[in-house]
């Protein structure tokens, strides 16, 4: 590793810390919000560890909002954010038995004894949930969110059969667990999605995370989610003495719990239980990505306490990425959006990490040379959970002489134009901008979730539209008469209507996303957002010079050049004009500036509220940009009124300009 915290000089450490902050935040966003991770959990943890090490050796450069200090966040602005009564922490990970042993040593040291019990259970690869029951009734369901507040998904959670709507227990209690999608349901769902022209989900976890955050609960119900409950947060009384007892309690109250648990006393016992499940995990109906080890006695848990982010009394032992050996039958080439040619390995299908793998990306010509790959070779590949499998090495000892040398193609496999490779690049490209393969990729990018988010315009539909010459560019998408499709096989009345609606709806997609969708090179989601906020309209952006662009925070020379080049191209300029005339958003709207719902408003709360404690509601109001005042004055805009208010109500009435509202009304104000 070049980035070694110990030998790194000061300024390098500072730069690397900032880089890591940015990288980790980006991957957190992909994982928790977009549900489309680009790197494995293991790689993510490596980044996190590097940052932790650097912050230890150079604490003066640690950023106050460092991701090492908080739980990754799944918060979206689609749901109301509500605080957890007890924060939801995340577990730290152990990637080897050595690290597991280190954990046990820390626990022994912390407690001054090694005579204790652990409960070991499966780590379900799903989405955390926090259920609040009051008077035996399910009141609310929240996602983990950022650990302090979560997204309110109560209506969606109610559709999950494993979650009881009422229990025989009257006291207020938070029950915690994991929502997941079984492998069977996952396969069914992806088949349906592909049929409807939508992108399949990468894995059951992503599918579960997407399903629990759907807008309509009837749609969530159709996903057939499951839940396993394994813990509690808030309780009114300390009536439990151990984690094991809590699990029994949950089971007795009608919650679905995981029966594959074991009490262990030593590292040896824990190891053997982990070793037992590592190979057996693929026989389970759902995905697990490791085992969770918890100190059993709650008194001990309390004594050990927790860091800002994770409890010191629990750890997740993560299973290794699975490796497999198979044969490379041929190498084919894909043409990307910018004409980039990517070699793809076609393999003899093999089961790895619970799914059948028959392709692996080879990145570029240099990577193939580095691996010294020949066609017909046996290769070792690795797949960790959701990530695209990767060939890590060739097994030359298995060669029998029939293998063939790899040769890079010279012409585009689709349009047969001669490929070019720039001196400073590892990638060969097809330079033909009318290449049908590039048009397809460009349209796929345009319609994708982060861009124009056009449901029903997936890979197969786009391929059809381009192959039939119906559509050549983005503007055609808005001009084409989709009714024509009804005369072709595979297009039903309803799906054609849905597609037309989705295309029409995409006209209201905000400017920042449109800017990302048009596919300027190097302009990703985040850069597009920065540019949109800075320039506020395409009119301003088009006029910007390279110098003006590099003045914008986080915009470097390369991006600036690319933007100027893009708008200098007459074809692009014409296309933008056309899209603008068709009604797409090319300037920022007020709400895009992300104003909070209660910005500038001042509140006083009085009396007992029906659903929230006063502190909870205060926190919510502040989170939404409002301000809390303690006394009634002319400055107050709203008085939130509960039962048995005090003198505040009278005072507010006297002033006359203060609006008196209920808890429900203030919650309504926070909704989008
Ligand atoms: Zn081509």
């Amino acid at each position: 590793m070049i980035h070694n915290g110990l030998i790194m000089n000061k300024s390098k450490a500072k730069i690397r810390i900032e880089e890591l902050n940015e990288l980790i935040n980006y991957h957190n966003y992909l994982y928790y919000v977009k549900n489309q991770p680009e790197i494995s959990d293991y790689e993510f943890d490596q980044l996190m560890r590097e940052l932790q090490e650097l912050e230890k050796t150079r604490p003066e450069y640690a950023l106050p909002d460092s991701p090492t200090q908080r739980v990754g966040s799944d918060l979206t602005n689609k749901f109301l954010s509500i605080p957890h009564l007890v924060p939801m922490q995340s577990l730290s990970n152990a990637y080897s038995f050595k690290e597991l042993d280190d954990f046990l040593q820390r626990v022994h040291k912390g407690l001054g004894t090694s005579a204790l019990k652990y409960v070991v259970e499966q780590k379900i690869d799903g989405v955390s949930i926090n259920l609040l029951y009051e008077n035996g009734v399910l009141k609310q369901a929240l996602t983990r969110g950022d650990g302090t507040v979560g997204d309110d998904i109560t209506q969606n959670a109610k559709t999950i059969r494993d979650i009881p709507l009422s229990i025989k227990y009257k006291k207020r209690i938070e029950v915690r667990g994991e929502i997941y999608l079984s492998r069977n349901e996952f396969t069914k769902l992806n088949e349906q999605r592909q049929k409807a022209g939508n992108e399949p989900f990468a894995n059951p976890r992503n599918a579960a995370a997407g399903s629990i955050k759907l807008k309509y609960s009837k749609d969530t119900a159709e996903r057939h989610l499951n839940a396993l409950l394994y813990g509690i947060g808030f309780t009114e009384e300390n009536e439990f003495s151990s984690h094991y007892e809590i699990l029994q309690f949950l089971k007795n109250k009608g919650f679905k719990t995981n029966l594959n648990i074991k009490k262990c006393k030593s590292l040896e016992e824990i190891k053997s239980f982990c070793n037992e499940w590592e190979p057996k995990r693929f026989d389970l109906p759902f995905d697990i990505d490791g085992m969770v080890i918890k100190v059993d006695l709650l008194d001990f848990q309390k004594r050990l306490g927790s860091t800002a982010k994770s409890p010191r009394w629990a750890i997740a032992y993560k299973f290794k990425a699975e490796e497999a050996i198979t044969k490379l039958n041929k190498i084919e080439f894909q043409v990307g959006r910018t004409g980039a040619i990517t070699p793809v390995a076609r393999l003899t299908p093999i089961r790895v990490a619970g799914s059948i793998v028959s392709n692996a990306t080879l990145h570029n010509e240099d990577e193939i040379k580095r691996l010294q790959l020949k066609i017909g070779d046996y290769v070792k590949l690795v797949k960790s959970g959701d990530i695209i499998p990767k060939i890590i090495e060739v097994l030359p000892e298995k060669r029998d002489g029939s293998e063939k040398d790899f040769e890079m193609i010279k012409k585009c496999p689709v349009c047969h134009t001669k490929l070019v490779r720039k001196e400073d690049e590892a990638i060969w490209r097809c330079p033909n901008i009318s290449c049908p393969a590039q048009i397809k990729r460009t349209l796929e990018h345009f319609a994708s979730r982060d861009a124009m988010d056009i449901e029903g315009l997936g890979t197969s539909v786009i391929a059809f539209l381009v192959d039939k010459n119906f559509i050549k560019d983005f503007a055609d998408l808005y001009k084409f008469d989709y009714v024509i499709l009804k005369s072709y096989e595979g297009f039903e009345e309803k799906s054609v209507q849905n597609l037309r609606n989705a295309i029409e709806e995409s006209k209201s997609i905000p400017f920042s996303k449109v800017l990302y969708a048009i596919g300027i090179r190097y302009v990703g989601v985040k850069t597009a957002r920065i540019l949109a906020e800075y320039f506020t309209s395409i009119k301003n952006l088009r006029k910007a010079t390279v110098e003006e662009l590099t003045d914008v925070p986080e915009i470097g020379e390369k991006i600036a050049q690319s933007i100027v080049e893009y708008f200098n191209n007459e074809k692009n300029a014409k296309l933008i004009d056309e899209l603008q005339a068709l009604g797409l958003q090319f300037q920022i709207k007020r709400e895009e500036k992300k104003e909070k719902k209660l910005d500038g408003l001042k509140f006083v709360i009085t009396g007992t509220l029906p659903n929230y404690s006063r502190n909870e509601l205060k926190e919510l109001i502040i989170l939404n940009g409002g301000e809390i005042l303690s006394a009634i004055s002319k400055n107050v805009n709203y008085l939130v009124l509960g039962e048995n208010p005090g003198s505040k109500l009278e005072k507010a009435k006297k002033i006359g300009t203060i609006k008196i509202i209920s808890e429900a009304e203030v919650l309504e104000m926070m909704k989008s």
Side-chain angles (χ1 to χ4, degrees), residues 335 412 414-417 430 432 435-438:
V335 188
C412 172
V414 177
C415 73
H416 312 293
T417 307
C430 164
N432 171 17
C435 172
Q438 289 181 54

Side-chain angles (χ1 to χ4, degrees), residues 26-49:
Y26 171 72
H27 288 298
N28 256 333
Y29 174 76
L30 289 182
Y31 183 88
Y32 287 106
V33 180
K34 301 314 299 179
N35 301 313
Q36 291 168 317
E38 282 174 3
I39 59 172
S40 67
D41 290 1
Y42 177 76
E43 287 166 301
F44 180 83
D45 273 7
Q46 293 305 306
L47 293 176
M48 195 66 115
R49 280 173 189 210

